[in-house]
Amino acid sequence: DTGVSQDPRHKITKRGQNVTFRCDPISEHNRLYWYRQTLGQGPEFLTYFQNEAQLEKSRLLSDRFSAERPKGSFSTLEIQRTEQGDSAMYLCASSWIGGRDPDTQYFGPGTRLTVL
Amino acid sequence: SQKIEQNSEALNIQEGKTATLTCNYTNYSPAYLQWYRQDPGRGPVFLLLIRENEKEKRKERLKVTFDTTLKQSLFHITASQPADSATYLCAPVLVAGNNRKLIWGLGTSLAVNP
């Protein structure tokens, strides 16, 4: 296993369009997290899953954002009707809740979104 | 509210010196604390974890301390190299029963000059 992967790495879209990102976690990891990060800021938590259940969603997340993890493996993050303020790096991370350090998160390379 | 403060200014040091980064937290008591490294355009990479009952943790040239009285963690890189240049993120973890929450700092940018 080569770690967490994300696709696409870069996405440029026009305001008002919908976009979908995919994350493939480390295969044995049962937790998956989505973050958003802008320049000079730390990762901002969006949501996380344990297996296929979405356990927490940030109050900052508008209804335009939705995430799924249908079979407890890969996850998708969809942004509907994108706005320029959505431009950011979207990071996915995974962890193994059964391990000694369940909160150590392994990050993917991120998807850079630019909304024109 | 829970708050984390890391060195607000970027840190510039000379190669070979020791870099010391600070992470201060207020209004909560983390069970443990993690440090991550982030390079531009990439996701954070886990470096070290220190628990509340540990005073110090080492890994190669890295050393982390955790002072629960001062509510502070220090992250040291000894014999620094230009390849250590990156942003370093502090991430304390709150544990309450079955609930766990990881809180991210803004990060400190480190530049090691040759």
Side-chain angles (χ1 to χ4, degrees):
Chain A
D1 190 287
T2 56
V4 179
S5 62
Q6 292 186 246
D7 184 70
R9 294 292 308 277
H10 304 274
K11 178 71 177 178
I12 300 174
T13 191
K14 292 182 180 178
R15 190 175 53 187
Q17 298 294 304
N18 299 343
V19 295
T20 300
F21 308 142
R22 176 179 170 125
C23 171
D24 286 87
I26 293 173
S27 57
E28 63 269 25
H29 284 186
N30 45 19
R31 277 203 174 172
L32 186 148
Y33 308 80
W34 284 101
Y35 292 91
R36 177 171 61 189
Q37 189 176 30
T38 53
L39 199 62
Q41 303 294 312
E44 176 190 9
F45 171 78
L46 295 179
T47 188
Y48 89 93
F49 295 82
Q50 183 160 315
N51 300 314
E52 65 274 10
Q54 188 173 20
L55 296 188
E56 188 176 346
K57 187 174 175 180
S58 169
R59 289 172 292 174
L60 301 174
L61 212 58
S62 78
D63 292 341
R64 298 184 296 106
F65 288 72
S66 62
E68 293 183 343
R69 194 183 183 197
K71 297 182 180 178
S73 56
F74 74 92
S75 175
T76 58
L77 176 70
E78 182 182 16
I79 308 174
Q80 296 181 327
R81 305 180 302 282
T82 53
E83 301 172 357
Q84 288 185 324
D86 297 330
S87 296
M89 175 76 88
Y90 289 83
L91 294 165
C92 175
S94 68
S95 68
W96 168 240
I97 193 67
R100 181 170 183 264
D101 298 318
D103 297 290
T104 296
Q105 298 182 17
Y106 296 84
F107 283 81
T111 294
R112 169 75 64 189
L113 173 66
T114 302
V115 181
L116 302 176
Chain B
S1 63
Q2 299 148 353
K3 190 177 176 184
I4 301 173
E5 289 183 352
Q6 294 191 243
N7 306 58
S8 56
E9 300 292 326
L11 195 61
N12 279 274
I13 64 168
Q14 206 62 32
E15 182 176 7
K17 300 292 185 184
T18 296
T20 298
L21 284 65
T22 304
C23 175
N24 295 301
Y25 54 92
T26 56
N27 298 329
Y28 62 100
S29 297
Y32 52 96
L33 190 147
Q34 303 183 47
W35 283 89
Y36 288 76
R37 168 184 173 142
Q38 187 171 25
D39 291 284
R42 296 180 175 267
V45 174
F46 170 74
L47 295 175
L48 277 172
L49 178 152
I50 186 165
R51 302 180 190 283
E52 60 181 340
N53 61 349
E54 297 174 318
K55 295 294 184 187
E56 181 179 299
K57 192 76 128 347
R58 291 176 184 261
K59 179 182 175 183
E60 298 173 351
R61 295 183 296 109
L62 308 181
K63 183 178 85 170
V64 172
T65 63
F66 193 9
D67 189 323
T68 55
T69 302
L70 292 178
K71 292 186 178 293
Q72 181 182 78
S73 176
L74 298 178
F75 179 82
H76 306 273
I77 306 175
T78 58
S80 60
Q81 304 167 0
D84 295 326
S85 300
T87 295
Y88 291 86
L89 297 159
C90 164
V93 180
L94 302 181
V95 177
N98 291 326
N99 294 321
R100 322 174 75 86
K101 184 175 181 181
L102 193 153
I103 302 173
W104 292 91
L106 298 182
T108 298
S109 175
L110 171 67
V112 180
N113 304 309

